[in-house]
Amino acid sequence: MNCRVCGEDGVRSFLDLGKMPLSDGLVRPENLLGPEPTFALEVAFCPGCRMVQILEDVAQEVLFPEDYPYFSSFSDQLLAHARRHALNLIETRSLGSDSLVVELASNDGYLLQNFVEAGVPVLGIDPAPAQVQAANDKGVRSICRFFGRELAEELLAGGTARADVIIANNVCAHVPDLNGFVAGMKALLAPDGLITIENPYVRDLIDHCEFDTIYHEHLFYHSCSGIERLMQRHGLHLNHVEYFPELHGGTLRYHVSHAAGRTPELEAYLAGEVADGVDSFRYYEGFAKRVEQLRGDLLALLSGLRAEGRTIAAYGAAAKGSTMLNYIGIGRELVSFVVDRNTHKQGLHMPGTHQPILPVEALVEQRPDYTLILAWNFKDEIMRQQVAYTEAGGRWIVPVPHPEVVAP
Ligand code: DWN
Ligand code: ZN
């Protein structure tokens, strides 16, 4: 296959998860017996531009349907992280009433609301109607569109000013035409503007065996080496990088602008990736074996508990949770239900394995002996919330980097 970014044909596969259902394709009760589409899920490395990417294409309209269930505001940790970023940008970029901040994949206004509060004009862009409605309801001006070169040109032609700040969190993994997306950012960015891009760090995915973060929504898995080449391709420059180990299993925030220049932090990350081979295939080639080991270990742990007559539930109807349940083969005979705080997900069923998604209160009401944390990236926030469950004798299982029962 040719690389999605640079077009070279040297792309090399390093993990094949087989045919998987769509991770956010939660199933309505009335559809449980109906057909459920599955798609090949295989991930590869491009030696040309260093981009890690999946090989299968699923139409954006299928991945992000009208009832796309993900709302960012259901995580306190994420809301706090977003607020810190917004307040820091307002101060360091001297943003005010004559500025413009644009967020791509702005979801329900979870981040832009902080700029609105400070009187800084914003524009949110997101293709999910319910999330855009929720954003506008809270006073965050948002439009329901997929972003790309065309929309950038349309906005500029329609009189939108070039943006002082463009924020793109957890979206540069999701866009098939990544080149068009970056070209759109370049066109929309003011001459002295700043782009900040946040994505889970592919190095953490490999180092901590976070294979479940691989699903069809995530076409790309980013590194400094890949992002720098991608930006150079469009006449932009990667200038700086920040690391957030607690966010989504390890997240990098990339700082990009029209101006050249690298901070010492970025130099260190780039040098580290070369020194450890993150920019070459050898870093990825042993990963499949480690995923198989995790699969065996988790199945043995869960099956052993069930053989002892223990009951097991799961926490977090996360997209990664679907990959975990379906790839490991965790059916309802092992894990009977999943709880989630997101009211849009409650009453639906997990893709493929079909566990019902219940309100979080079910943990205390039904008191499963163990609960597998599928949203392990928020495990501390979740365990802090659910003290009543552990005080009643409940125990947590965390699946990555190694499946284990963790003390509360
Ligand atoms: O790119 C993406 C990644 C970064 O985040 C998108 N695919 C959306 C999302 O993927 P995900 O669905 O795997 O993400 P989360 O945010 O890890 O999912 C957490 C789930 O857990 C959500 O359904 C909300 C739920 N939750 C909860 O029930 N109680 C979360 C928290 C923090 C809680 O306290
Ligand atoms: Zn490439």
Side-chain angles (χ1 to χ4, degrees):
M1 176 189 160
N2 287 46
C3 172
R4 295 175 184 277
V5 173
C6 73
E8 285 199 20
D9 64 358
V11 169
R12 295 182 66 184
S13 168
F14 61 85
L15 177 66
D16 184 352
L17 296 177
K19 302 274 275 184
M20 299 287 279
L22 297 180
S23 278
D24 272 313
L26 305 182
V27 184
R28 299 185 182 293
E30 62 272 19
N31 297 336
L32 282 173
L33 299 177
E36 200 171 340
T38 60
F39 302 86
L41 187 55
E42 189 172 2
V43 64
F45 171 80
C46 172
C49 67
R50 308 318 196 254
M51 191 61 74
V52 176
Q53 54 199 277
I54 62 171
L55 301 182
E56 181 79 10
D57 258 335
V58 179
Q60 289 289 289
E61 294 68 31
V62 173
L63 285 172
F64 302 101
E66 293 275 308
D67 60 351
Y68 179 67
Y70 184 77
F71 285 73
S72 302
S73 294
F74 281 98
S75 162
D76 301 338
Q77 178 196 2
L78 192 62
L79 288 171
H81 172 82
R83 182 167 178 79
R84 281 192 297 274
H85 186 33
L87 297 180
N88 177 268
L89 285 170
I90 290 167
E91 185 190 342
T92 57
R93 309 297 294 183
S94 306
L95 300 176
S97 57
D98 58 350
S99 308
L100 176 63
V101 175
V102 175
E103 185 180 10
L104 310 178
S106 49
N107 200 271
D108 57 8
Y110 76 103
L111 185 151
L112 288 179
Q113 61 191 350
N114 296 288
F115 292 100
V116 173
E117 200 179 283
V120 177
V122 302
L123 176 61
I125 300 173
D126 195 288
Q131 286 79 348
V132 167
Q133 185 59 55
N136 282 307
D137 291 349
K138 63 176 82 161
V140 177
R141 183 167 73 102
S142 303
I143 59 174
C144 190
R145 294 282 296 273
F146 283 99
F147 180 77
R149 193 196 320 258
E150 296 69 30
L151 180 57
E153 288 161 2
E154 183 186 317
L155 289 170
L156 292 169
T160 298
R162 293 177 73 183
D164 299 286
V165 172
I166 296 175
I167 298 170
N169 290 347
N170 298 307
V171 59
C172 286
H174 301 64
V175 285
D177 178 12
L178 191 52
N179 283 308
F181 191 88
V182 175
M185 289 201 284
K186 176 180 168 65
L188 196 58
L189 184 68
D192 58 351
L194 172 67
I195 301 171
T196 66
I197 295 168
E198 285 183 17
N199 280 105
Y201 190 15
V202 70
R203 184 164 193 165
D204 287 304
L205 190 162
I206 300 299
D207 290 355
H208 306 307
C209 209
E210 297 168 0
F211 79 95
D212 52 342
T213 61
I214 296 169
Y215 40 86
H216 298 97
E217 275 177 42
H218 290 171
L219 290 158
F220 302 104
Y221 302 80
H222 290 297
S223 64
C224 292
S225 305
I227 289 285
E228 180 170 65
R229 285 166 175 78
L230 173 66
M231 296 303 154
Q232 283 167 348
R233 172 182 297 276
H234 296 278
L236 289 169
H237 299 273
L238 175 58
N239 304 125
H240 181 49
V241 70
E242 297 172 80
Y243 181 55
F244 302 93
E246 298 310 310
L247 191 63
H248 290 306
T251 284
L252 282 185
R253 176 186 291 154
Y254 305 94
H255 294 234
V256 171
S257 70
H258 291 295
R262 286 176 178 177
T263 61
E265 292 85 351
L266 175 59
E267 295 283 13
Y269 266 90
L270 288 166
E273 289 185 1
V274 172
D276 297 340
V278 178
D279 66 339
S280 67
F281 183 71
R282 63 187 165 90
Y283 195 78
Y284 306 91
E285 60 190 344
F287 187 55
K289 198 177 297 177
R290 292 170 47 219
V291 174
E292 278 317 297
Q293 181 64 51
L294 188 151
R295 181 182 199 178
D297 294 348
L298 182 53
L299 268 180
L301 173 59
L302 298 177
S303 308
L305 291 172
R306 293 291 291 125
E308 294 168 11
R310 305 293 188 188
T311 54
I312 309 172
Y315 192 118
K320 64 174 77 64
S322 174
T323 296
M324 181 65 75
L325 295 175
N326 282 284
Y327 182 67
I328 305 287
I330 301 172
R332 296 175 68 166
E333 77 289 349
L334 285 179
V335 166
S336 45
F337 62 89
V338 176
V339 297
D340 196 291
R341 229 171 36 164
N342 180 336
T343 48
H344 302 267
K345 298 186 176 182
Q346 294 167 5
L348 302 178
H349 292 251
M350 291 303 286
T353 52
H354 292 176
Q355 284 87 352
I357 301 166
L358 307 179
V360 175
E361 291 67 27
L363 280 192
V364 175
E365 290 156 7
Q366 301 198 32
R367 298 228 337 234
D369 296 313
Y370 291 84
T371 298
L372 172 65
I373 305 183
L374 296 173
W376 44 262
N377 48 314
F378 292 127
K379 66 179 185 308
D380 296 336
E381 179 177 352
I382 290 166
M383 290 194 283
R384 268 198 308 275
Q385 280 172 20
Q386 299 304 318
V387 171
Y389 170 63
T390 44
E391 281 175 350
R395 288 291 173 266
W396 300 109
I397 299 170
V398 176
V400 299
H402 309 289
E404 57 178 348
V405 176
V406 295

